[in-house]
Amino acid sequence: YDLVAGNLRTISSGPGNHKHPSIDGTLVAWEDDRNGTTDIWGYDFANNTQFPIYRSLDKEQDPLVQGHIVYFRTYRFNVWDIDSVDLDNNGTSSEITADSKIQTAPFSNGRDVYFLNQYIGLTWTLAKYDAHLGRVVETTIHLQDSAPTPLSEDRMIEIVPDVGYAQ
């Protein structure tokens, strides 16, 4: 929906489920299972084009558009990892994580890309992908829940259980 013009436009149609969109600027990315497995597809408002961003035999989901880079989770070898595709660099894909930890969907404060890692146990650790260093930087922040974590600039909200209630 164009908030300025007031127009509603379909950017994805056809067979299968098309869900969990993310948008930044003129680029939209979403999960799409039109080919029998969940892949990441995109639409560019600059040239009104729909296109596959990342397709594989593995399951991809939870896209996050950050400028010209699309981050997402991929399920392979029985674990979730974070990957990315740089659309300004000929669609080059990169593996952000490749280990046996459990990662949540990537999220952002509008500047940086974060996700939660879970090692053995019930605690989640906030991790930040540093694109300049090309690696993940673990923080000392531990969370009790893997629920989506809203961020704004340098502030984060965490929902925690408290005597039978979530607060």
Side-chain angles (χ1 to χ4, degrees):
Y1 186 80
D2 185 326
L3 295 172
V4 175
N7 301 1
L8 180 64
R9 180 178 0 174
T10 300
I11 61 170
S12 172
S13 63
N17 295 297
H18 305 201
K19 56 187 183 175
H20 300 123
S22 176
I23 186 169
D24 188 16
T26 64
L27 180 62
V28 180
W30 64 88
E31 295 173 23
D32 193 312
D33 67 2
R34 70 179 74 185
N35 295 318
T37 185
T38 308
D39 298 316
I40 305 298
W41 279 68
Y43 185 90
D44 191 345
F45 284 105
N47 56 24
N48 296 317
T49 305
Q50 184 182 141
F51 56 96
I53 293 174
Y54 190 87
R55 292 188 296 187
S56 79
L57 296 176
D58 299 318
K59 179 180 180 178
E60 284 77 40
Q61 68 181 46
D62 303 316
L64 170 68
V65 179
Q66 191 86 6
H68 56 90
I69 300 175
V70 179
Y71 297 90
F72 56 93
R73 290 195 312 161
T74 186
Y75 188 76
R76 64 176 163 254
F77 308 119
N78 297 320
V79 296
W80 286 103
D81 284 316
I82 308 286
D83 284 6
S84 70
V85 172
D86 185 340
L87 296 174
D88 276 359
N89 192 10
N90 297 319
T92 303
S93 63
S94 299
E95 209 173 52
I96 305 301
T97 66
D99 50 37
S100 60
K101 295 181 287 253
I102 300 169
Q103 279 93 29
T104 63
F107 54 95
S108 176
N109 61 356
R111 198 178 51 236
D112 303 304
V113 174
Y114 294 90
F115 54 90
L116 301 178
N117 276 332
Q118 185 184 45
Y119 298 94
I120 296 173
L122 300 175
T123 302
W124 294 86
T125 303
L126 181 68
K128 174 183 170 184
Y129 176 65
D130 189 320
H132 299 306
L133 295 176
R135 66 182 177 92
V136 174
V137 177
E138 292 277 342
T139 70
T140 58
I141 299 170
H142 299 286
L143 300 117
Q144 297 177 18
D145 196 328
S146 65
T149 307
L151 291 175
S152 178
E153 296 180 14
D154 295 324
R155 291 180 174 81
M156 178 176 73
I157 302 293
E158 177 188 11
I159 298 171
V160 297
D162 181 27
V163 192
Y165 297 95
Q167 310 216 354

